[in-house]
Amino acid sequence: MFEKKGGNHPDDLLSKPSQTHKACERQSGNFSDCSDRFLLKDKTFSRQYAHLYAERLWEVRPKVEASARKKWVPYTVHTMRLTHTSVYIPLGKDIVIRKLHELKSDETCVVIGTLFKHMELKPSILQEISEEHNLMPQPVRTKYVDESDKLYLEDELQRIILMGDLDVQTSVTGVIIAVYGKEPEDDQGKFHVEKYCFQMLSDQVPRPVIQNDKYLVLISGLEIGSNEEQIFSLQLFVDMVTGMLGNSEEQSHCAEICRVIVAGNSLSSSTQDKDSLQKAKYLSKKTAAGSVDAVKTLDDVFTQLASSVDVDLMPGEYDPANYTLPQQPLHKCMFPEASRYPTFHTVTNPYDFKVEGVRFLGTSGQAVQDIVKYSTNEEPLDILEKTLEWGHLAPTAPDTLGCYPFYKEDPFIINDCPHVLFAGNMTKFDSKVFKGCGGQEVLLVSVPRFSQTSTAVMVNLRTQDCVPMQFAAPSTMEPNR
Amino acid sequence: MATDSMYLENLEEYVNDEGKIVTYKWLSLNLHVHVNEAKQMLYTFVEEQKKKKIHVTATYFVSGMCKSVDGCQVQTYTCTVIPEEELETFKNSLTTVHSIHVYSVQKAGLKDSNSLYLADYDCVKENLFEIHKYRSIKYEKAQPSSEAKRPPIKTAQEETKVSGTSSAASTNGHSSSNTKKDAKKGGIAGMFANAATKKADASKKADASKKQEIKAETNGTTTAGKADKKNQKDAKKGVANFFANHTGKKAAPKTMEVKKEENEEEAEKKKDTKPKQNGKGKRSKQARNGDSDEESNKKKRRRIRIEMSESSEEEMDYESPVPSPVPSPTREPSPVPDTPEKESPKKQEVSVKPSQNGEKHRKRRRKLVPKTFMDEDGYMVTEKVWESESTDASDAEPPPVKETPKPSSPQKKKKASPKKKSPPSTGSKKQTSLSSFFSKK
C-alpha cells in the first residue's frame, strides 16, 4: 500500500533545519449522501410495530419470490431401469408459492414469510411483571441462546413451526425467508424445510476506476470520558491525518486521505451516568453531567480534524443521541468550535454514502452486537455477511433492538448493494471481501474500538484494500497499563 | 535564517532552565515555523547537546509497517512515539520504516504519555484556529466561518473563550465584575449575561455605541432579571424603574448620559407598569414596592460602585454618547412612580420626545388604573378603572404627578411591616429550634 516513491529517506527530518517545506493539497472526494431515509421526518410514537413488519414483508416479498423462482426449478427424478442412473427432469412449470392459510398437506411448495425465533431466555417484560410467575428479573446475559429455541414462519395471517435443514442457532428474528418444503399429513402444524433462500442481493453499480490512491479512514469507539480513553493515541491520530507527524513524504501520503468517518461511541458509557437521575435535585444541582467535559474534549479534537479533512460523526450507543435506530445526527451546538468548519458533519446511524463512486454503508455496531446476543454467531464479519445475504441491516429490530415505529417504509432493507459494508465498535479489526452470487464484491470491514486497540482503519478507494493504522505509545510509556 | 541561531539558545533555555517538555508542535507554534522545520530544529538541538555532554532525553516518532500486531494477520501501519533508548530495537521490529523524527526534547525521562499530551495541550487550545498554517496539508474547503455566524445562544463561559468581538469583551467584563460584586445575585448575573449576549449579537454597531447600548440594556435587564427572581412579571419594570431612579439621581458624569437614556425609557416603562402593579391589589403592590424599595436602595449603592469601577475600567468611549434611538425592542417606555423621581421624569420629558420619535411604535394600552377621589361624604375612595393609555409624551406627565403622592404613604407603612415581619419569622424559627432543644429536657 505504501509504495516507496523514489528517494525515500525515512531519516530526512533528522537533519539541520531547512526552509524548504512544501505544503500539499488535501484530496477531496466526490461525496454524495444517500442517508436521507434514515432521517426521521416526523416523530410519532403512537404506532404499533406491526406496521413495520408488514411493510418489511410487503417490500421484500416480491424480491424473495423472484429469488426463489430463479433458484428452485421443480423437477422429477426419473430412474432409468437398465442403467440405474437418475435423471432429473424439469417439470417445466413454476414452483408453487402458497400462503400459509392455503397450505395443503403433503404438497411441496414454497412459503414466504417472516422468521421468528422463539427463545426461552429472551427477556420478556410480561414475564417480569407477571405476578403468577413471581420471577426475579432476569440477569443480563451475553447470550440468550438456548438449545430449545424454535423457529416459526409468520406471514400476514398465520404462523407455523419450521423443522428441518434450517439452522436455528444462527438464525434471527425478523428475516424474510422463502422455504421450500411441505407440511406432512401426519405431522400437521409443522413445516418440513428442504431448502430455503433469502432476498437476492441486487446488482452492484460497478465502481469507477480512480486514477490516484484515495483513502477513507474509519475510526470508532473513541470513548472519551472513560478511564481507558486513549487521549494521546487519539492526538497522534489527529496529528497524523492532519499532516503534522512524519516526514514530508508521509505527510503527502496522508494528504490522500479524503474523509474521516467516526463510527459511534465517541463518548464512553461512563458518561451516561444515570445516578444523577435518582438523586434529589438539590444534591445534584451543582454537578455537571459527565458528558460535558468529554464533549468539550471532542470538540477540540474535531476542530483540529475538521480544519484539515472532511469529518463525518455518527452517533453510537453511548453518545447523547436517541436510543432507537436510526439514530439521528448529533446536534451541532454540541460542537461550537468544530461547527464553524463546513467540513464537519454530523450524520445518522446507520450511514449510507458514496465517495468517488464507491458506495459505503455502515452502522455503529448496535445491530451486529444484537445479533451476537441472540444467535450463536460470533464473528462480526460473518454477521455482516449474513446481513447482506438476508438483505436487511438490522433484522432484530424492533424485536430486541430499539427501533422507531415506521409506517410506510423500512429503511434498513438493503436495496442497493454497497461496495463497502462496515460496522463500528467491534472487538478487533478484520476485513474480508464477500463475493455475491451475482458477481458482486463487497468489502466487509469490522472497525475496532479505538479505546481498546488504538487502531483506525484506512480504506483505499482505488483498490478496495484495507489497512489498520495503529497508534501507540509503547509499554514503558503507557500510564498504568 | 535569523531564527536559526536564536532557536538553539531558546531551546536550551526552555529545556534546561525551565524544565519544559518541548514538543515539535509547541516549538512550531511558538516560533511560527513549519512543523517539519521544528522537528529538524529539535534534532540539531539534541545533537548539539550531545556534543556539549549535557544530558537531555528525546522521544522519537517512528512510523512504518509492522506485521502481526495484536495477532493481526495483515501488515499494520504503526505509528508510535518511543524514547531514544528503544529506537533501534523498534526500528528493527518493523518490516519497513516510513519516517523517523524527533517528537520531543526534555530534561528528564518521561514517565507516561500523559505528560507528553499535556505538554502542548494549552498551546494547541489557544491556537486552535492558527495551527493549520504550520501544517503540511492545506485544505481549501476548510475555512472557518466568522464569529458572527455562530449561534447566538452562548453562555458567559463561552464568551470568555471567544477572543472576537469587543462587545463580548465588554459584556464579559461587565458580567464578571457584576458576578464578583453581586455574589448573591449569581442567577441574575447569568440571566444578565445571557440577555447581554443576545443583545450583543443583535446590535452590530460601532464600538462606542455598541458598548453603550449593551451597558444600557444590560443595566435594564439586570434589574429586570432581578425583579423576575423576586416578584411577578410586572414587577420587572417596576424594579427597573427603581434602578433607573437611582442612576438618574446619583450617576457619575461619564455615565450620566447613558443613564439618562435608560431613564427615558424606564420613565415610560414605569408609568405603564405602575398602574399595572396597583391593579394587582393594594397589599401585594405595596409589599412589592416596599421590598423593591429596599432592594433598590441597596442596588443603587451597588450599581454606583459597579458603574464607577466600570467606567474607570472601560475606555473613555462613553464620552461620545449616541442617544441610541432604538435601544432595544424589549424596553418599553414606562412611567416613573417614585418620589425621588419626581424631578427626573420632568427633566427627561424633553429628551423622551426625540427618543420617542425614534421608536416606531406607539402603543395604545388599556390599563386597570386605580383612581382615587373624594367621595360626597368626604371619604377618599380608590376605584379601579380601565383607562386607555398611549405612549404619548403628553399622557406621561400627569399620571406620575398624581400617583407619586399616593404610593409614598402606603410605602412607608409597608416598609416597616415587611421589616417587622421578617425578623420575627427568622428569629422565631431559630428560637423554636433552640427552645425545642431545651424543652425536651
Side-chain angles (χ1 to χ4, degrees):
Chain A
M1 178 191 98
F2 225 134
E3 275 101 47
K4 284 196 188 156
K5 296 168 189 163
N8 179 38
H9 299 289
D11 294 1
D12 64 350
L13 282 179
L14 298 174
S15 60
K16 284 224 181 310
S18 65
Q19 291 280 347
T20 53
H21 291 285
K22 57 179 163 74
C24 14
E25 273 294 324
R26 165 87 58 196
Q27 306 259 5
S28 71
N30 299 328
F31 172 80
S32 64
D33 185 24
C34 313
S35 310
D36 196 48
R37 63 187 191 275
F38 297 120
L39 283 170
L40 294 176
K41 311 289 184 301
D42 63 330
K43 294 167 194 179
T44 48
F45 288 87
S46 55
R47 284 197 286 263
Q48 297 264 342
Y49 284 118
H51 297 288
L52 178 58
Y53 279 120
E55 181 57 37
R56 195 184 289 180
L57 185 59
W58 200 249
E59 217 180 294
V60 181
R61 193 209 297 267
K63 298 182 199 167
V64 176
E65 209 177 300
S67 164
R69 283 190 201 283
K70 203 169 168 191
K71 264 187 151 180
W72 304 322
V73 180
Y75 56 86
T76 54
V77 183
H78 190 78
T79 320
M80 308 292 257
R81 263 184 241 143
L82 286 174
T83 53
H84 295 278
T85 49
S86 307
V87 180
Y88 295 90
I89 304 166
L91 278 173
K93 61 173 182 193
D94 272 331
I95 45 167
V96 183
I97 299 184
R98 293 231 178 271
K99 297 256 169 87
L100 277 177
H101 65 272
E102 305 166 332
L103 269 186
K104 293 185 191 141
S105 303
D106 274 334
E107 189 204 4
T108 310
C109 60
V110 173
V111 187
I112 300 174
T114 315
L115 211 58
F116 177 76
K117 188 167 167 187
H118 177 82
M119 302 168 83
E120 283 299 322
L121 296 175
K122 187 166 84 172
S124 159
I125 187 68
L126 295 174
Q127 278 186 348
E128 270 185 45
I129 61 176
S130 151
E131 283 172 2
E132 60 189 42
H133 284 248
N134 274 338
L135 282 174
M136 299 297 287
Q138 279 190 331
V140 175
R141 296 156 168 265
T142 47
K143 272 200 176 312
Y144 295 94
V145 288
D146 193 48
E147 291 301 320
S148 62
D149 294 338
K150 295 192 202 60
L151 274 181
Y152 286 85
L153 185 74
E154 289 188 8
D155 68 3
E156 297 98 332
L157 301 170
Q158 291 186 350
R159 57 149 55 172
I160 194 166
I161 292 187
L162 295 177
M163 320 284 288
D165 273 344
L166 201 48
D167 186 5
V168 184
Q169 298 303 323
T170 56
S171 312
V172 288
T173 308
V175 183
I176 309 292
I177 193 175
V179 286
Y180 180 83
K182 62 179 179 183
E183 185 191 8
E185 179 74 46
D186 48 351
D187 199 7
Q188 292 234 342
K190 295 191 183 127
F191 195 88
H192 284 248
V193 177
E194 288 165 35
K195 293 178 281 200
Y196 58 91
C197 86
F198 306 99
Q199 169 191 313
M200 229 170 18
L201 196 56
S202 61
D203 284 328
Q204 233 179 13
V205 173
R207 272 186 305 125
V209 176
I210 306 169
Q211 298 301 105
N212 312 318
D213 273 342
K214 277 194 193 176
Y215 297 94
L216 188 136
V217 174
L218 295 165
I219 185 173
S220 78
L222 299 175
E223 295 186 25
I224 307 287
S226 73
N227 292 333
E228 302 166 338
E229 65 179 5
Q230 303 267 28
I231 196 72
F232 184 63
S233 304
L234 181 59
Q235 191 60 49
L236 281 183
F237 168 76
V238 171
D239 290 343
M240 192 63 172
V241 171
T242 52
M244 297 187 71
L245 285 174
N247 58 2
S248 47
E249 193 157 327
E250 191 159 26
Q251 285 159 351
S252 59
H253 175 77
C254 287
E256 289 165 2
I257 297 174
C258 62
R259 208 164 188 97
V260 174
I261 313 287
V262 184
N265 283 357
S266 310
L267 293 174
S268 87
S269 54
S270 52
T271 58
Q272 284 202 327
D273 184 21
K274 300 272 161 64
D275 285 346
S276 55
L277 291 173
Q278 316 288 40
K279 272 176 144 184
K281 283 272 182 184
Y282 70 94
L283 285 174
S284 52
K285 203 171 179 181
K286 296 280 180 181
T287 54
S291 45
V292 171
D293 287 324
V295 171
K296 281 191 195 158
T297 318
L298 268 182
D299 192 22
D300 289 333
V301 168
F302 289 135
T303 313
Q304 290 176 53
L305 264 184
S307 63
S308 175
V309 71
D310 279 300
V311 180
D312 289 336
L313 177 63
M314 286 167 68
E317 197 182 338
Y318 305 130
D319 290 330
N322 51 318
Y323 170 73
T324 54
L325 285 190
Q327 282 182 300
Q328 299 302 292
L330 294 169
H331 201 284
K332 282 215 165 164
C333 71
M334 283 165 57
F335 307 102
E337 305 285 322
S339 301
R340 288 172 59 185
Y341 285 101
T343 47
F344 177 71
H345 312 105
T346 49
V347 295
T348 55
N349 168 34
Y351 189 35
D352 190 1
F353 64 98
K354 209 164 29 174
V355 178
E356 293 286 318
V358 181
R359 188 79 180 261
F360 280 77
L361 178 61
T363 61
S364 299
Q366 289 114 316
V368 175
Q369 282 159 359
D370 203 55
I371 294 176
V372 167
K373 269 199 277 185
Y374 291 96
S375 72
T376 49
N377 299 310
E378 289 282 353
E379 290 295 309
L381 285 189
D382 286 341
I383 294 174
L384 283 176
E385 198 177 319
K386 285 209 151 68
T387 55
L388 273 182
E389 280 175 3
W390 292 330
H392 202 275
L393 260 187
T396 50
D399 186 33
T400 43
L401 186 61
C403 181
Y404 174 76
F406 287 101
Y407 181 50
K408 278 289 182 194
E409 50 169 357
D410 184 354
F412 301 108
I413 299 172
I414 300 177
N415 283 322
D416 306 315
C417 182
H419 294 107
V420 180
L421 183 63
F422 68 88
N425 298 301
M426 299 287 108
T427 42
K428 62 177 180 21
F429 163 75
D430 212 349
S431 81
K432 182 166 96 170
V433 176
F434 164 76
K435 292 207 193 317
C437 45
Q440 304 101 336
E441 280 189 6
V442 184
L443 174 68
L444 307 173
V445 185
S446 126
V447 185
R449 286 165 64 188
F450 196 80
S451 65
Q452 302 291 322
T453 58
S454 305
T455 308
V457 180
M458 235 165 130
V459 179
N460 188 335
L461 295 173
R462 185 175 64 90
T463 62
Q464 296 266 63
D465 276 339
C466 204
V467 176
M469 279 171 97
Q470 190 172 38
F471 300 90
S475 45
T476 48
M477 299 232 301
E478 306 273 76
N480 304 326
R481 260 173 229 280
Chain B
M1 283 303 191
T3 47
D4 280 4
S5 49
M6 292 283 294
Y7 76 86
L8 280 173
E9 279 122 38
N10 285 341
L11 272 176
E12 213 168 334
E13 195 189 303
Y14 289 133
V15 176
N16 287 327
D17 303 337
E18 291 178 25
K20 265 188 80 63
I21 302 174
V22 178
T23 60
Y24 74 94
K25 216 190 295 182
W26 188 91
L27 196 65
S28 145
L29 284 169
N30 281 32
L31 296 183
H32 304 290
V33 293
H34 195 273
V35 282
N36 288 353
E37 201 177 324
K39 294 165 197 167
Q40 288 170 323
M41 285 181 182
L42 282 179
Y43 175 73
T44 35
F45 174 71
V46 171
E47 294 297 301
E48 293 279 308
Q49 297 293 302
K50 274 186 193 163
K51 282 183 205 160
K52 292 185 199 170
K53 308 275 186 195
I54 300 174
H55 174 69
V56 280
T57 52
T59 57
Y60 287 82
F61 169 80
V62 183
S63 77
M65 300 302 279
C66 177
K67 214 175 175 191
S68 71
V69 180
D70 297 335
C72 209
Q73 301 307 315
V74 296
Q75 295 258 351
T76 318
Y77 182 5
T78 318
C79 313
T80 48
V81 174
I82 46 171
E84 200 169 347
E85 306 86 59
E86 296 171 23
L87 184 59
E88 288 307 317
T89 44
F90 194 78
K91 260 166 67 176
N92 294 334
S93 71
L94 294 176
T95 44
T96 52
V97 178
H98 292 310
S99 74
I100 306 174
H101 65 78
V102 180
Y103 188 87
S104 75
V105 176
Q106 57 281 332
K107 214 163 154 187
L110 280 174
K111 261 194 290 178
D112 58 15
S113 53
N114 264 336
S115 39
L116 263 185
Y117 174 69
L118 292 170
D120 39 27
Y121 178 76
D122 291 322
C123 204
V124 166
K125 268 213 116 154
E126 282 164 31
N127 298 316
L128 214 49
F129 292 101
E130 280 91 45
I131 206 171
H132 64 94
K133 293 181 200 158
Y134 309 114
R135 287 185 196 144
S136 292
I137 305 177
K138 310 280 177 211
Y139 193 31
E140 55 192 19
K141 272 197 209 170
Q143 299 296 336
S145 57
S146 61
E147 291 290 326
K149 286 183 194 167
R150 286 174 65 200
I153 305 157
K154 286 184 282 222
T155 59
Q157 289 100 19
E158 280 218 50
E159 279 198 297
T160 51
K161 279 186 192 168
V162 167
S163 48
T165 50
S166 55
S167 65
S170 66
T171 47
N172 193 32
H174 199 178
S175 63
S176 57
S177 59
N178 244 358
T179 47
K180 278 178 217 160
K181 278 150 195 178
D182 305 0
K184 292 178 196 173
K185 299 161 193 172
I188 301 152
M191 291 173 64
F192 159 89
N194 276 340
T197 57
K198 282 180 194 161
K199 274 149 206 159
D201 280 329
S203 57
K204 302 274 177 192
K205 290 180 190 172
D207 272 8
S209 55
K210 221 200 279 189
K211 279 184 192 168
Q212 259 201 341
E213 278 177 8
I214 290 154
K215 220 185 136 219
E217 288 152 14
T218 51
N219 286 345
T221 47
T222 312
T223 53
K226 215 189 153 174
D228 267 349
K229 197 184 177 191
K230 289 208 153 233
N231 305 312
Q232 298 87 348
K233 289 176 229 165
D234 285 353
K236 196 196 236 183
K237 292 166 188 166
V239 178
N241 305 336
F242 296 120
F243 162 71
N245 287 346
H246 137 69
T247 55
K249 214 167 63 169
K250 300 178 188 174
K254 282 172 200 162
T255 49
M256 176 70 105
E257 281 157 307
V258 176
K259 282 166 199 145
K260 263 199 176 173
E261 290 168 56
E262 293 165 16
N263 286 328
E264 292 158 31
E265 290 113 19
E266 298 184 280
E268 314 303 296
K269 241 199 228 178
K270 284 173 195 177
K271 284 169 203 167
D272 281 350
T273 54
K274 184 63 189 179
K276 262 189 198 169
Q277 282 184 356
N278 294 338
K280 295 233 167 180
K282 247 190 188 173
R283 244 195 218 173
S284 54
K285 165 208 88 180
Q286 285 164 351
R288 222 179 300 133
N289 286 347
D291 282 349
S292 29
D293 230 1
E294 291 173 10
E295 283 302 321
S296 67
N297 287 331
K298 293 179 197 163
K299 239 189 306 169
K300 283 174 201 171
R301 284 181 219 125
R302 285 199 190 131
R303 267 289 158 189
I304 297 169
R305 277 189 231 129
I306 292 157
E307 300 286 315
M308 297 289 263
S309 59
E310 197 195 315
S311 54
S312 54
E313 281 168 24
E314 308 275 286
E315 275 146 323
M316 301 304 135
D317 288 338
Y318 284 108
E319 285 174 350
S320 59
V322 177
S324 66
V326 189
S328 92
T330 58
R331 290 185 121 242
E332 288 160 350
S334 54
V336 177
D338 244 3
T339 32
E341 280 270 81
K342 249 198 237 178
E343 313 98 69
S344 35
K346 284 179 187 167
K347 268 191 223 161
Q348 284 136 21
E349 288 319 352
V350 186
S351 42
V352 163
K353 278 176 194 169
S355 76
Q356 275 287 295
N357 294 334
E359 300 223 23
K360 288 188 186 163
H361 33 262
R362 276 181 186 186
K363 288 182 189 163
R364 283 200 136 255
R365 280 192 229 107
R366 267 187 70 218
K367 299 245 158 91
L368 198 60
V369 176
K371 296 252 174 194
T372 323
F373 54 91
M374 290 288 276
D375 213 358
E376 61 247 12
D377 296 331
Y379 297 112
M380 271 193 83
V381 179
T382 312
E383 266 185 4
K384 291 183 197 168
V385 167
W386 279 107
E387 194 182 74
S388 86
E389 267 190 322
S390 75
T391 58
D392 227 26
S394 50
D395 277 349
E397 218 183 59
V401 179
K402 221 208 267 187
E403 282 162 15
T404 41
K406 216 195 349 162
S408 56
S409 38
Q411 257 174 30
K412 284 175 197 163
K413 284 182 198 165
K414 280 298 157 185
K415 252 192 215 176
S417 40
K419 275 185 190 164
K420 274 187 200 162
K421 278 178 198 169
S422 40
S425 55
T426 49
S428 60
K429 270 184 202 167
K430 285 179 192 168
Q431 284 191 0
T432 48
S433 60
L434 272 176
S435 58
S436 64
F437 172 74
F438 284 118
S439 66
K440 271 176 191 173
K441 283 191 182 173

